[in-house]
Amino acid sequence: MSAEFDAKSHVAHMEKVMGLTIEDDWRPVVEAHIAATQKAAELVLSFPLGEDIEAAPVFEA
């Protein structure tokens, strides 16, 4: 993940790529949500995993 993540640029890119138009009233809310999601992803991905950790099944039929 980039340490220089910019939520405003990301939202503008989403609008362009997905053909979205985010109203000005909602733009700060969307930007805050994107920034919080990015920060959470960076935290999860930076968590060290030991070599002895094995994947556990999430669903068993």
Side-chain angles (χ1 to χ4, degrees):
M1 296 290 161
S2 171
E4 298 178 21
F5 179 79
D6 178 18
K8 290 182 182 191
S9 295
H10 186 79
V11 171
H13 180 73
M14 281 180 16
E15 286 182 301
K16 180 180 176 185
V17 171
M18 300 174 124
L20 300 172
T21 302
I22 299 172
E23 296 179 23
D24 289 338
D25 292 348
W26 282 98
R27 185 168 296 278
V29 175
V30 173
E31 290 170 358
H33 176 73
I34 293 293
T37 302
Q38 177 71 15
K39 191 169 270 197
E42 288 175 357
L43 177 66
V44 168
L45 293 175
S46 69
F47 191 82
L49 295 177
E51 292 181 20
D52 60 339
I53 295 177
E54 295 180 22
V58 175
F59 176 78
E60 293 183 19

